[in-house]
């Protein structure tokens, strides 16, 4: 698929930056004129992925998170959230609903939510080196202005 546009931002793994990442990607995807539901889904997957990096990837330390997005032909958006944190030892286990390495306040539903709001979800991780979550979603749009 041909890349029509792209963006990337780097920021510290501080919880206050989760909203920044969510709104930045939402503003970027707005050029495809998404429905309100599509926009909320995009914001949710970004929020979940960034929160995972903050809470699980870096735990009690501050590191760097890279969020990038590419608009692809056919009204697709590809979003990547990358960290250089502790990594995931068992991705299959981490993808199971209710599994968490966090405290009792964590639901363990992050990857499940990301999967349900994405057309495709890919997770690459290496213990001690970090994790990259890649989400692909087709934007049907509201019918006007998409890809102009």
């Amino acid at each position: 698929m041909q890349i029509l546009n792209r963006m990337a931002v780097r920021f510290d793994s501080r919880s206050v930056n989760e909203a920044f990442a969510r709104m930045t990607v939402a503003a970027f995807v707005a050029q495809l004129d998404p429905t309100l539901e599509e926009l909320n889904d995009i914001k949710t997957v970004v929020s979940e992925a960034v929160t995972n990096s903050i809470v699980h990837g870096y735990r009690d330390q501050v590191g760097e998170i890279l969020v990038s997005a590419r608009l692809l032909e056919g009204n697709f958006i590809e979003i990547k959230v990358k960290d250089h944190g502790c990594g995931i030892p068992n991705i299959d286990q981490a993808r199971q609903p209710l599994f968490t390495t966090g405290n009792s306040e964590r639901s363990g539903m992050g990857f499940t939510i990301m999967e349900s709001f994405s057309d495709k979800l890919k997770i690459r991780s290496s213990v001690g080196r970090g994790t990259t979550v890649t989400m692909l979603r087709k934007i049907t749009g509201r019918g006007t202005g998409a890809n102009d």
Side-chain angles (χ1 to χ4, degrees), residues 103-121:
N103 60 32
S104 61
E105 295 175 9
R106 299 288 156 199
S107 70
M109 295 298 291
F111 286 133
T112 302
I113 291 167
M114 285 183 253
E115 277 186 304
S116 67
F117 291 158
S118 302
D119 293 324
K120 186 176 181 182
L121 180 70

Side-chain angles (χ1 to χ4, degrees), residues 5-133:
N5 201 0
R6 62 185 171 180
M7 58 78 62
V9 292
R10 293 179 190 272
F11 50 88
D12 286 345
S13 62
R14 300 180 191 281
S15 60
V16 296
N17 290 331
E18 176 270 326
F20 166 73
R22 181 179 65 232
M23 297 310 290
T24 300
V25 174
F28 181 72
V29 77
Q31 62 195 288
L32 292 181
D33 198 23
T35 65
L36 187 56
E37 180 180 353
E38 289 170 330
L39 192 58
N40 285 333
D41 289 353
I42 294 294
K43 291 193 298 191
T44 298
V45 297
V46 170
S47 185
E48 291 292 336
V50 169
T51 298
N52 276 356
S53 289
I54 294 167
V55 171
H56 303 290
Y58 290 113
R59 295 188 182 134
D60 295 323
Q61 62 185 14
V62 175
E64 183 180 80
I65 298 173
L66 170 67
V67 175
S68 60
R70 301 187 315 171
L71 299 181
L72 307 171
E73 64 184 344
N75 280 17
F76 284 93
I77 183 164
E78 178 190 73
I79 302 163
K80 286 188 182 187
V81 177
K82 181 177 184 175
D83 67 58
H84 298 287
C86 66
I88 302 170
N90 185 332
I91 293 174
D92 290 334
Q93 183 182 38
R95 288 180 93 146
Q96 294 302 309
L98 305 180
F99 177 81
T100 184
T101 60
N103 60 32
S104 61
E105 295 175 9
R106 299 288 156 199
S107 70
M109 295 298 291
F111 286 133
T112 302
I113 291 167
M114 285 183 253
E115 277 186 304
S116 67
F117 291 158
S118 302
D119 293 324
K120 186 176 181 182
L121 180 70
K122 180 179 175 185
I123 304 162
R124 285 190 2 228
S125 191
S126 180
V127 174
R129 299 185 77 190
T131 302
T132 301
V133 175

